[in-house]
Amino acid sequence: MILLEDFILRALAAGLGVALVAGPLGCFVVWRRMAYFGDTVAHSALTGVGLGLLLGADPVIGIMAVGAVLVAFLTILGRRGRHASDTLLGIFSHGTLALGVILLASMETVRVDLMAYLFGDILAVMPADLAWIWGGGLAALAVLLWLWRPLLAATVSPEVAQAEGVPVTAVQVAFMLVIAVVVAVAMKIIGVLLITAMLIIPAATARRFAASPEAMAAIAAGLGAAAVVLGLVGSANWDTPAGPSVVAAAVGLFALSPLVGVLLGRR
């Protein structure tokens, strides 16, 4: 049975590892309306891959480094206030995506599967990749748990949080760095063009059913895991691309959520 093949089981383990951290993290992305920032970090990952390969380093290290530089630039330029945040994100998003494609296309000695980086290749996950995914994911989840209360306070009201002694800027920078780490470990699974979907869609679906922030985070993680399972099963049965199938399953769950909400008596 194809679903019990080793590569399917590795893909399932990798997808679940990403879903468990992307769900809670995506809740803050939804609450703080940072979907465009998620896209920008995901697009910058392609530049990180190019730099990593160019310097002979692991692409994941390159992605994290570029993500850290991006966060630093956005923080500094955002404080100066000369440009709106969405303008800066648009410049960095498209600029880093273009630079990444140029870097990868210019490497004649390195063969790069650009489609795998753009749309993911979850079925090609190896045991070493699982170590990166679960290690990086658990580390990111631990940092998010540590930041949970101050980040929640800063999300509800930055002014009140600042008055209560919360280092709002430092908390926000740490949160953005966690997103960069998750993008780095998840890129091989979903790809840079689809990764933001796995941050946003399960969290947006969970919002309908959650009675508290913590409940929404748990539900989002569960919905992300369900999307991984459904997507891989659909990919195996109908021979569709695995990464996009996972995202399509997440969209399907979102589309069904109003009906489920009615059946459960929720608005």
Side-chain angles (χ1 to χ4, degrees):
M1 185 177 181
I2 190 171
L3 292 177
L4 297 180
E5 294 288 344
D6 287 345
F7 70 94
I8 291 289
L9 295 177
R10 286 196 300 268
L12 180 61
L16 293 177
V18 171
L20 292 179
V21 65
L25 191 64
C27 292
F28 281 102
V29 173
V30 170
W31 293 331
R32 299 173 69 89
R33 300 180 181 180
M34 291 179 65
Y36 204 3
F37 173 77
D39 269 333
T40 303
V41 175
H43 290 174
S44 72
L46 208 58
T47 298
V49 171
L51 290 176
L53 294 175
L54 186 65
L55 300 175
D58 192 299
V60 176
I61 301 298
I63 296 168
M64 291 182 182
V66 171
V69 172
L70 175 66
V71 169
F73 270 114
L74 289 173
T75 302
I76 294 170
L77 295 176
R79 280 187 169 184
R80 293 183 178 181
R82 293 183 180 179
H83 300 284
S85 59
D86 61 336
T87 301
L88 293 174
L89 289 172
I91 293 171
F92 282 113
S93 176
H94 301 297
T96 53
L97 181 62
L99 179 59
V101 173
I102 291 171
L103 284 173
L104 292 175
S106 65
M107 295 180 190
E108 297 180 355
T109 59
V110 179
R111 185 172 182 177
V112 178
D113 186 357
L114 185 58
M115 293 298 291
Y117 284 117
L118 291 176
F119 297 102
D121 192 4
I122 190 172
L123 298 180
V125 169
M126 302 302 291
D129 298 319
L130 288 177
W132 269 111
I133 292 165
W134 278 92
L138 290 176
L141 191 59
V143 174
L144 181 62
L145 291 174
W146 179 58
L147 292 173
W148 185 270
R149 289 189 178 278
L151 184 58
L152 192 59
T155 300
V156 173
S157 176
E159 295 79 12
V160 173
Q162 188 80 50
E164 293 180 348
V166 175
V168 174
T169 301
V171 168
Q172 291 174 343
V173 169
F175 172 64
M176 290 189 288
L177 289 174
V178 172
I179 293 179
V181 171
V182 172
V183 168
V185 300
M187 186 191 65
K188 188 167 184 177
I189 297 175
I190 303 298
V192 299
L193 297 183
L194 302 176
I195 195 169
T196 312
M198 287 305 293
L199 285 170
I200 297 172
I201 298 173
T205 307
R207 196 171 195 172
R208 180 180 298 274
F209 307 105
S212 68
E214 292 77 12
M216 180 171 165
I219 295 171
L223 288 170
V228 169
V229 174
L230 292 174
L232 288 177
V233 170
S235 175
N237 287 334
W238 296 302
D239 195 25
T240 56
S245 296
V246 171
V247 176
V251 173
L253 292 174
F254 176 79
L256 289 174
S257 64
L259 176 60
V260 176
V262 170
L263 295 176
L264 295 177
R266 294 181 180 270
R267 291 186 299 173

